[in-house]
Amino acid sequence: ENMILEEAEMKGEVTYELKGSKEGFGFDFCFVPHGYDKTFSELGLDEKNKISARKKVIDKIRTRLVRSA
């Protein structure tokens, strides 16, 4: 039972106008995170990785692992 479960969310708006590259995750070109005026695709990978739900989950897991070490 060494399983760690965490969750996170990314709030934002889905746009009707598709912007940016359609490469990346399925909705990156039509999702504008709250506090931004660009879609995930337009933000670029570096900026997206700083604010994404995946980043939030990784940070939570890292904190739990450091505490338990």
Side-chain angles (χ1 to χ4, degrees), residues 17-52:
E17 184 179 354
L18 309 180
K19 296 180 181 178
S21 170
K22 291 183 181 133
E23 293 176 10
F25 195 72
F27 59 82
D28 284 1
F29 59 94
C30 64
F31 183 78
V32 179
H34 283 177
Y36 292 82
D37 61 354
K38 295 180 179 179
T39 65
F40 264 153
S41 288
E42 293 175 298
L43 290 176
L45 192 57
D46 288 339
E47 186 65 21
K48 177 186 161 186
N49 285 338
K50 290 178 187 176
I51 65 170
S52 73

Side-chain angles (χ1 to χ4, degrees), residues 55 57-68:
K55 167 74 163 101
V57 167
I58 289 169
D59 288 346
K60 288 179 180 183
I61 292 171
R62 181 180 296 123
T63 298
R64 286 179 65 176
L65 290 172
V66 168
R67 277 193 218 144
S68 67

Side-chain angles (χ1 to χ4, degrees), residues 1-17:
E1 294 292 326
N2 291 328
M3 185 183 302
I4 298 174
L5 296 174
E6 287 291 350
E7 62 182 63
E9 63 182 33
M10 173 55 58
K11 295 187 180 205
E13 305 290 328
V14 175
T15 66
Y16 290 104
E17 184 179 354

